[in-house]
Amino acid sequence: LLGEISASFIYKADDFEYAVITTTDGNLSIPDSVMDNLNSLSISTMRGIVFTTFKGTFLHNAYLPIIDPTAFRQKQ
């Protein structure tokens, strides 16, 4: 392990009445396409955080992996 960064991404969905995100018995239901977009946004933002944080260190030229946002889907 050469470095470690932890981050949390929180999203807010307004107008649940019209949104594609629904709740049933307190459980959220988010379509795969919306979840893929949120995951992609989080991954891209994290890559920027990692690049900025490691800039000027020995990890400055480290390769950042490309991650498939669909890999985070829950298995059903």
Side-chain angles (χ1 to χ4, degrees):
L1 181 66
L2 299 175
E4 183 175 336
I5 295 178
S6 179
S8 178
F9 298 95
I10 300 170
Y11 298 95
K12 179 181 177 187
D14 290 328
D15 298 327
F16 267 99
E17 183 177 339
Y18 302 104
V20 294
I21 300 171
T22 58
T23 58
T24 306
D25 297 328
N27 295 319
L28 287 177
S29 175
I30 304 173
D32 284 343
S33 60
V34 173
M35 188 56 76
D36 291 345
N37 283 323
L38 293 175
N39 285 338
S40 181
L41 180 61
S42 298
I43 291 167
S44 297
T45 302
M46 191 66 206
R47 289 174 63 86
I49 292 169
V50 167
F51 179 78
T52 302
T53 302
F54 290 160
K55 189 173 182 178
T57 72
F58 71 99
L59 291 172
H60 177 78
N61 292 317
Y63 292 103
L64 300 177
I66 296 173
I67 300 172
D68 179 7
T70 63
F72 294 96
R73 289 184 186 168
Q74 274 189 329
K75 305 276 191 257
Q76 295 182 2

